[in-house]
Amino acid sequence: MRVLVFFDLPVLTEANRRDYRIFRKYLIKSGFMMIQESVYCKLAQNGSVADAMVENIKKNKPSEGLVQVLRVTEKQYNKMDFIVGENTGDVLSTDERLVIL
């Protein structure tokens, strides 16, 4: 299962920019990989882990802006079509090296 986070945050004031940086750093520290500008993705072992990720995102959300979360299965994620551009190797596209503790 994949958890996709989409966000559109204001950056008009210094406080807005600070909230943007803090939220983006939170996503990166939590293991999310950037797919494209303001779109991050992380692999989850199951639905309960995905639910926990969403709860943590809610706890670390910025005060303003739009943050959306989408949960998709691996099968759905792998059906993604690249209209312009190509798949890059820095985004995990398989759970082959997934380690479950």
Side-chain angles (χ1 to χ4, degrees):
M1 174 167 276
R2 298 276 177 148
V3 176
L4 297 162
V5 178
F6 308 90
F7 61 93
D8 187 16
L9 304 178
V11 290
L12 300 174
T13 66
E14 185 59 37
N16 291 149
R17 288 189 288 276
R18 181 179 169 275
D19 288 345
Y20 174 89
R21 285 191 306 269
I22 290 170
F23 184 67
R24 186 177 173 280
K25 285 180 183 179
Y26 161 75
L27 291 175
I28 293 169
K29 285 182 181 179
S30 297
F32 283 85
M33 302 275 301
M34 185 171 72
I35 295 178
Q36 111 184 22
E37 197 73 31
S38 299
V39 179
Y40 286 73
C41 177
K42 184 175 179 182
L43 190 63
Q45 293 89 350
N46 55 45
S48 60
V49 172
D51 291 341
M53 284 183 204
V54 173
E55 287 304 314
N56 286 330
I57 291 169
K58 287 179 183 178
K59 290 177 186 173
N60 290 282
K61 71 183 183 314
S63 58
E64 296 181 53
L66 176 66
V67 178
Q68 298 169 302
V69 177
L70 176 67
R71 293 169 235 186
V72 297
T73 64
E74 279 302 299
K75 189 173 184 179
Q76 292 167 328
Y77 185 82
N78 287 323
K79 287 184 178 181
M80 185 185 318
D81 292 321
F82 292 89
I83 307 301
V84 175
E86 59 187 41
N87 189 6
T88 59
D90 61 344
V91 177
L92 299 174
S93 60
T94 177
D95 60 357
E96 180 178 309
R97 295 185 63 189
L98 179 66
V99 177
I100 299 174
L101 301 174

